[in-house]
Amino acid sequence: MKAIVCRELGPPEKLVLDEVADPGCGTGEAVIRVRAAGVNFPDTLLIEGRYQMRLQPPFTPGAEVAGEVLKTGPGVKSLAVGQRVAAVLPSGGYAEQVCAPAQTMLPLPDSLDFVHAAAFPLVYGTALHALDQRGQLQPGETLLVLGAAGGTGLAAVQLGKLLGARVIAAASNEAKLGFCRNHGADETINYERDSLKQRVKALTGGRGADVIFDPVGDRWAADCLSSLAWNGRWLITGFAGGTIPQIPANKLLLKGAAAAGVFWGSFVAREPQKNLDNFKRLFAWQAAGRLQPPVTRTYPLAQAGQALRDLLERRATGKLVLLP
Ligand SMILES: NC(=O)c1ccc[n+]([C@@H]2O[C@H](COP(=O)([O-])OP(=O)(O)OC[C@H]3O[C@@H](n4cnc5c(N)ncnc54)[C@H](OP(=O)(O)O)[C@@H]3O)[C@@H](O)[C@H]2O)c1
């Protein structure tokens, strides 16, 4: 089969499309014929050796796929050959086939095609876990989202609205802010042009945001702390901006506020039932026409490096998907 291979750690341009052996299928596992693979920021970190999980080359990146079950290993009773599924994986998704534990695969509702299914689990799983379990976002509260036109950011914008919040979307240019408004954002802030802190203050009558979904970190962290309302919750989700910020703890104390870490992958492993409950809600919203992943561009598998470069250069909006 064909697969994208990382032969040495480095930038996306080092990835190659190669012919590799078809995957085997052990006890409790199933092989998916990949019809679409989601492109995610952590993939850029993995191939550079900067992700929390380190892999030694050669390996195939790719954390999110949708397709049909091609074969099942011994002991697999929950899946049938031909069934449509999505899966989130540690790696291996940028390929024509991938093997994964059957119990981690999500059977797909008819309402989700493969392209949108490959863009669904990681960002919505992360954003709902963040807003609900970690942030306890309530109807009527104000949610500020950074990197709001990106994968997890736009998911947080959409879910914030579904959970009844007033959503302020922050992003780096007007096109991205328009994209956020088209997906439900009530207010927008261009945080490259304007002061994030001053604009949140103005938009909330000086109160601040109840919940901040932050997948960016870096130089905006100080403004996030200043923008928290009394009892605010700052959801530390990622560091797409590059630098991991240090937090002056006194600012949390003064606002009775909390900085909460979000690690969806560990949540799935440690609290699988709660994660499945989250997906029941997500699929119900999707089937009712209230939630759709914003896939803005698809690429042939061979252009995986270009897709990752587009993410790194902040050119992407919503979700990018590879088509093997
Ligand atoms: N904690 C978890 O469980 C979890 C799960 C999934 C992802 N993540 C992490 O969350 C972060 C965002 O993931 P994502 O899928 O939303 O990524 P994405 O689609 O690439 O969006 C990230 C956004 O960050 C902003 N950004 C600011 N500085 C940037 C820079 N130097 N390079 C790239 N983007 C920059 C960009 O928006 P502007 O141009 O508008 O600033 C971009 O749209 C990553 O660090 C990822 O590892 C964490």
Side-chain angles (χ1 to χ4, degrees):
M1 68 162 182
K2 288 199 163 39
I4 293 291
V5 179
C6 174
R7 289 189 185 143
E8 56 177 313
L9 298 178
E13 289 69 23
K14 290 205 178 274
L15 294 174
V16 290
L17 182 69
D18 216 344
E19 193 67 38
V20 302
D22 289 357
C25 188
T27 301
E29 294 178 333
V31 172
I32 301 173
R33 181 191 298 283
V34 179
R35 299 296 185 184
V39 177
N40 290 288
F41 197 90
D43 303 338
T44 70
L45 302 174
L46 188 74
I47 62 170
E48 290 183 357
R50 296 197 296 124
Y51 196 49
Q52 55 253 42
M53 179 186 76
R54 304 281 162 107
L55 292 183
Q56 284 307 314
F59 64 86
T60 292
E64 188 174 40
V65 297
E68 302 110 347
V69 175
L70 193 61
K71 55 187 170 187
T72 55
V76 175
K77 297 201 169 55
S78 56
L79 294 173
V81 170
Q83 190 169 353
R84 301 167 72 253
V85 292
V88 174
L89 326 144
S91 63
Y94 291 4
E96 289 178 329
Q97 297 177 29
V98 68
C99 175
Q103 64 180 29
T104 64
M105 294 184 189
L106 293 165
L108 289 177
D110 292 341
S111 53
L112 254 183
D113 62 40
F114 288 134
V115 169
H116 291 92
F120 197 96
L122 207 141
V123 292
Y124 288 134
T126 300
L128 185 56
H129 168 55
L131 298 181
D132 192 348
Q133 282 89 35
R134 305 303 291 135
Q136 287 156 19
L137 181 67
Q138 302 299 314
E141 286 194 321
T142 298
L143 168 68
L144 169 66
V145 180
L146 275 69
T152 58
L154 207 277
V157 168
Q158 292 175 299
L159 292 176
K161 288 310 299 172
L162 285 170
L163 294 170
R166 176 188 183 220
V167 177
I168 304 174
S172 61
N173 63 48
E174 293 309 312
K176 289 187 174 187
L177 294 174
F179 182 73
C180 295
R181 278 193 294 276
N182 288 341
H183 287 86
D186 298 293
E187 313 280 356
T188 54
I189 299 175
N190 182 331
Y191 58 15
E192 284 291 357
R193 188 193 60 199
D194 301 328
S195 156
L196 181 64
K197 175 176 150 182
Q198 293 304 332
R199 287 282 293 133
V200 173
K201 203 171 172 188
L203 288 170
T204 59
R207 227 186 123 259
D210 300 294
V211 175
I212 301 179
F213 179 86
D214 180 10
V216 182
D218 203 75
R219 62 189 185 276
W220 288 284
D223 276 11
C224 282
L225 265 175
S226 302
S227 300
L228 281 168
W230 171 250
N231 270 337
R233 288 87 76 200
W234 178 20
L235 306 177
I236 298 176
T237 306
F239 311 106
T243 306
I244 298 176
Q246 303 297 307
I247 301 173
N250 61 319
K251 294 220 171 176
L252 293 173
L253 180 154
L254 290 171
K255 292 186 168 181
V262 175
F263 190 0
W264 180 65
S266 261
F267 167 71
V268 174
R270 291 164 191 266
E271 303 183 56
Q273 190 52 50
K274 273 194 194 158
N275 180 57
L276 288 178
D277 291 345
N278 281 357
F279 272 91
K280 275 187 201 145
R281 293 172 79 190
L282 290 166
F283 283 144
W285 278 321
Q286 196 278 334
R290 303 178 69 196
L291 188 65
Q292 185 74 332
V295 177
T296 54
R297 191 165 169 195
T298 59
Y299 302 71
L301 183 62
Q303 289 177 18
Q306 180 61 52
L308 290 173
R309 175 55 62 197
D310 286 341
L311 274 193
L312 282 170
E313 302 292 332
R314 299 166 79 177
R315 286 193 287 262
T317 49
K319 286 282 289 186
L320 311 179
V321 169
L322 302 177
L323 302 178

